[in-house]
Amino acid sequence: MDQITYEPIGVVESPFETPEAVPRPGAERVTASGTLVLEEEFEPGLEGLDGFSHLIVLSHLHEVSGVRLQVNPMGGKSVGIFATSGPPRPNPIGHSVLTLDDVSGTRLAVSHLDLIDGTPILDIKPYAPKVPAVEAVETGWMGDLAD
């Protein structure tokens, strides 16, 4: 298989200095605010983004080392890494859904931030529901945590 290479489009400014400082989903609600700072050349790509309430941010989890194919999320039963959003993945790509609070030039103020300071941003997409409807989505072992 061919090597794939991406160049970051920006960086995260976050109050979290280490991965351990970020609250874990399900354990605590992540309420932190921060800023996504894009390179100047990408400013035209932000046109129209300010009309969305939430963003999907794809990032490179640059502080993750090692891969674990089996994990015990929240101290529960063992599951495969692909059944979680946990970071010790073969390709440490982060997927965050953040609240978009403001757009000012190439600076995006966000909340519910779950990334550490200096995290490279690979892509930003507006959060827009797609089919299937949320009611039809099964969340596997994660659904048991809500019960």
Side-chain angles (χ1 to χ4, degrees), residues 3 18 95 107 126:
Q3 177 93 18
T18 66
H95 171 267
R107 298 179 65 82

PDB file of all heavy atoms in Angstrom, residues 3 18 95 107 126:
ATOM      1  N   GLN A   3       2.214   5.021   0.769  1.00  0.00           N
ATOM      2  CA  GLN A   3       2.260   5.933   1.913  1.00  0.00           C
ATOM      3  C   GLN A   3       1.323   7.106   1.647  1.00  0.00           C
ATOM      4  O   GLN A   3       1.212   7.589   0.524  1.00  0.00           O
ATOM      5  CB  GLN A   3       3.689   6.450   2.084  1.00  0.00           C
ATOM      6  CG  GLN A   3       3.875   7.447   3.186  1.00  0.00           C
ATOM      7  CD  GLN A   3       4.288   6.808   4.489  1.00  0.00           C
ATOM      8  OE1 GLN A   3       4.742   5.684   4.507  1.00  0.00           O
ATOM      9  NE2 GLN A   3       4.140   7.521   5.564  1.00  0.00           N
ATOM     10  N   THR A  18      -1.430  18.178  28.179  1.00  0.00           N
ATOM     11  CA  THR A  18      -1.092  16.767  27.962  1.00  0.00           C
ATOM     12  C   THR A  18      -2.361  15.977  27.664  1.00  0.00           C
ATOM     13  O   THR A  18      -3.459  16.387  28.071  1.00  0.00           O
ATOM     14  CB  THR A  18      -0.427  16.146  29.207  1.00  0.00           C
ATOM     15  OG1 THR A  18      -1.392  16.119  30.271  1.00  0.00           O
ATOM     16  CG2 THR A  18       0.815  16.911  29.619  1.00  0.00           C
ATOM     17  N   HIS A  95     -10.959  12.711  15.918  1.00  0.00           N
ATOM     18  CA  HIS A  95     -12.243  13.136  15.353  1.00  0.00           C
ATOM     19  C   HIS A  95     -13.004  13.812  16.488  1.00  0.00           C
ATOM     20  O   HIS A  95     -13.420  13.153  17.437  1.00  0.00           O
ATOM     21  CB  HIS A  95     -12.989  11.900  14.836  1.00  0.00           C
ATOM     22  CG  HIS A  95     -14.399  12.171  14.425  1.00  0.00           C
ATOM     23  ND1 HIS A  95     -15.459  12.007  15.287  1.00  0.00           N
ATOM     24  CD2 HIS A  95     -14.916  12.582  13.262  1.00  0.00           C
ATOM     25  CE1 HIS A  95     -16.583  12.288  14.642  1.00  0.00           C
ATOM     26  NE2 HIS A  95     -16.277  12.654  13.417  1.00  0.00           N
ATOM     27  N   ARG A 107      -9.143  32.456  12.823  1.00  0.00           N
ATOM     28  CA  ARG A 107      -9.246  31.975  14.209  1.00  0.00           C
ATOM     29  C   ARG A 107     -10.691  31.560  14.490  1.00  0.00           C
ATOM     30  O   ARG A 107     -11.591  32.387  14.374  1.00  0.00           O
ATOM     31  CB  ARG A 107      -8.772  33.037  15.188  1.00  0.00           C
ATOM     32  CG  ARG A 107      -7.291  33.390  14.980  1.00  0.00           C
ATOM     33  CD  ARG A 107      -6.831  34.472  15.932  1.00  0.00           C
ATOM     34  NE  ARG A 107      -6.861  34.047  17.330  1.00  0.00           N
ATOM     35  CZ  ARG A 107      -5.907  33.336  17.922  1.00  0.00           C
ATOM     36  NH1 ARG A 107      -4.825  32.963  17.247  1.00  0.00           N
ATOM     37  NH2 ARG A 107      -6.014  33.008  19.198  1.00  0.00           N
ATOM     38  N   PRO A 126     -18.226  21.086   8.459  1.00  0.00           N
ATOM     39  CA  PRO A 126     -19.390  21.476   9.251  1.00  0.00           C
ATOM     40  C   PRO A 126     -20.128  20.227   9.710  1.00  0.00           C
ATOM     41  O   PRO A 126     -20.161  19.224   8.992  1.00  0.00           O
ATOM     42  CB  PRO A 126     -20.241  22.274   8.264  1.00  0.00           C
ATOM     43  CG  PRO A 126     -19.893  21.692   6.936  1.00  0.00           C
ATOM     44  CD  PRO A 126     -18.431  21.321   7.028  1.00  0.00           C
TER      45      PRO A 126
END
